[in-house]
Amino acid sequence: SGAGHHRTKAVRVKRGSGYLTKANGIAAGGYHTGVRRTDGTAWCWGYGQAGQLGDGQAGLHIRTKATRVLRGSGHLTGVTAI
């Protein structure tokens, strides 16, 4: 699916070989989405260009699976809101 593709029903979001679970916060931009999980981690997917996915990638790219948000050489933890 690419730009212009719209869903009319909820779908399960993939993360790695499984699915993103235990989400308790969500935020969306024009072409990207972020989720906070109950364990305090943050995950994003969609189109990235200016750091909005938090994956350390520069330039236009797409993540079709939820990717854990980076912080320095590790991952962002203790997230209270997204």
Side-chain angles (χ1 to χ4, degrees):
S1 64
H5 182 81
H6 302 281
R7 299 270 186 191
T8 58
K9 295 181 182 179
V11 295
R12 294 182 76 184
V13 175
K14 290 197 174 235
R15 123 184 127 100
S17 61
Y19 292 97
L20 186 64
T21 60
K22 300 182 181 178
N24 69 347
I26 189 166
Y31 298 99
H32 59 281
T33 304
V35 166
R36 178 197 180 274
R37 292 185 63 207
T38 56
D39 63 2
T41 59
W43 298 75
C44 293
W45 66 94
Y47 286 91
Q49 184 171 7
Q52 62 268 59
L53 300 181
D55 60 3
Q57 298 292 312
L60 183 60
H61 64 288
I62 187 170
R63 296 276 184 194
T64 58
K65 294 182 181 181
T67 304
R68 192 163 171 194
V69 175
L70 297 173
R71 179 178 184 197
S73 61
H75 291 100
L76 188 62
T77 59
V79 177
T80 58
I82 194 145

